[in-house]
Amino acid sequence: GAVVSQHPSWVICKSGTSVKIECRSLDFQATTMFWYRQFPKQSLMLMATSNEGSKATYEQGVEKDKFLINHASLTLSTLTVTSAHPEDSSFYICSAPPPGLGTDTQYFGPGTRLTVL
Amino acid sequence: AQSVTQLDSHVSVSEGTPVLLRCNYSSSYSPSLFWYVQHPNKGLQLLLKYTSAATLVKGINGFEAEFKKSETSFHLTKPSAHMSDAAEYFCVVSDFPGTSYGKLTFGQGTILTVHP
């Protein structure tokens, strides 16, 4: 079945530094990928839609200059949290829809837990 | 706009007894509806999906859900709970199903606890 991986699975960083999270579709090409954020004991919230070869589309209230998204190839999207602060500590999850099925069929990565000290 | 409401934040059952996780949705369109399960430290796994075919949808691990348009509900059930079912469950709705611009909206999640 379709597999989506994320790297790293967890990261701890100091306040003010930047952190890059990778999302890869391992056995299919994805022109679109999605980035979600999940705070403790809360649901997943869509942050942005990553589009291969064009700019990402951000959801209302998500700072595009803080959460930089680059969809460099058909199998890789990266999320960079710039100048991270403790309030950015969260579980970041990406997903990708296999081609031909519409974007409502999504395969999710295992998530990246970010802790900002 | 679409939304999902999971009526119970926590459900506790004994092993071998039935499971009922409740979900109501709101959508301006004919939605696709999903149930996902999230085990600790693991990625989201799709349990089942409704896409306007049969209203009773069977999923993996013995779970099923019934789409009731008149009640705008999509409750998840299982006849007999197993210890391995303990996890968090999310009801999810998709707008513009089958298109390339649909988005998923997640419910708040229901934590299922299974007692021996």
Side-chain angles (χ1 to χ4, degrees):
Chain A
V3 177
V4 174
S5 71
Q6 283 185 240
H7 178 80
S9 55
W10 58 270
V11 57
I12 301 173
C13 70
K14 293 182 179 180
S15 185
T17 61
S18 294
V19 173
K20 180 185 286 188
I21 301 170
E22 295 184 348
C23 177
R24 294 182 185 273
S25 56
L26 297 184
D27 51 0
F28 64 97
Q29 294 183 330
T31 56
T32 301
M33 291 184 176
F34 299 90
W35 286 97
Y36 297 84
R37 179 168 52 188
Q38 185 180 26
F39 289 109
K41 301 188 186 302
Q42 294 187 30
S43 188
L44 279 74
M45 297 296 294
L46 179 64
M47 297 176 65
T49 303
S50 172
N51 304 298
E52 191 271 336
S54 64
K55 291 183 179 181
T57 305
Y58 290 82
E59 295 301 301
Q60 191 172 9
V62 178
E63 299 176 58
K64 63 180 181 180
D65 294 330
K66 182 171 184 60
F67 298 99
L68 300 179
I69 291 173
N70 182 24
H71 200 137
S73 74
L74 288 172
T75 59
L76 174 64
S77 174
T78 60
L79 169 68
T80 301
V81 183
T82 63
S83 186
H85 291 281
E87 57 266 30
D88 298 323
S89 298
S90 187
F91 196 50
Y92 292 87
I93 302 171
C94 72
S95 72
L101 296 178
T103 54
D104 56 326
T105 299
Q106 297 182 19
Y107 293 95
F108 287 82
T112 297
R113 187 164 301 282
L114 170 64
T115 301
V116 184
L117 301 177
Chain B
Q2 59 186 15
S3 66
V4 174
T5 302
Q6 291 182 241
L7 301 173
D8 307 291
S9 58
H10 289 83
V11 170
S12 181
V13 301
S14 298
E15 190 175 22
T17 64
V19 176
L20 170 63
L21 305 183
R22 299 182 294 166
C23 172
N24 286 107
Y25 71 92
S26 172
S27 175
S28 301
Y29 307 93
S30 296
S32 285
L33 292 159
F34 311 77
W35 277 98
Y36 281 88
V37 60
Q38 186 179 36
H39 289 274
N41 302 316
K42 291 193 175 181
L44 286 156
Q45 181 183 20
L46 179 66
L47 280 179
L48 49 80
K49 172 180 178 180
Y50 165 76
T51 55
S52 75
T55 56
L56 182 62
V57 183
K58 293 187 182 299
I60 62 172
N61 301 334
F63 285 95
E64 62 181 37
E66 185 172 9
F67 174 75
K68 292 187 177 180
K69 187 174 181 179
S70 60
E71 298 176 9
T72 60
S73 69
F74 190 58
H75 302 333
L76 180 71
T77 60
K78 183 173 180 177
S80 176
H82 192 272
M83 295 296 291
S84 60
D85 295 328
E88 187 162 18
Y89 292 78
F90 293 97
C91 183
V92 181
V93 64
S94 169
D95 60 0
F96 303 108
T99 70
S100 60
Y101 42 87
K103 296 180 183 178
L104 299 184
T105 299
F106 283 73
Q108 301 89 332
T110 299
I111 296 174
L112 175 65
T113 303
V114 182
H115 298 287

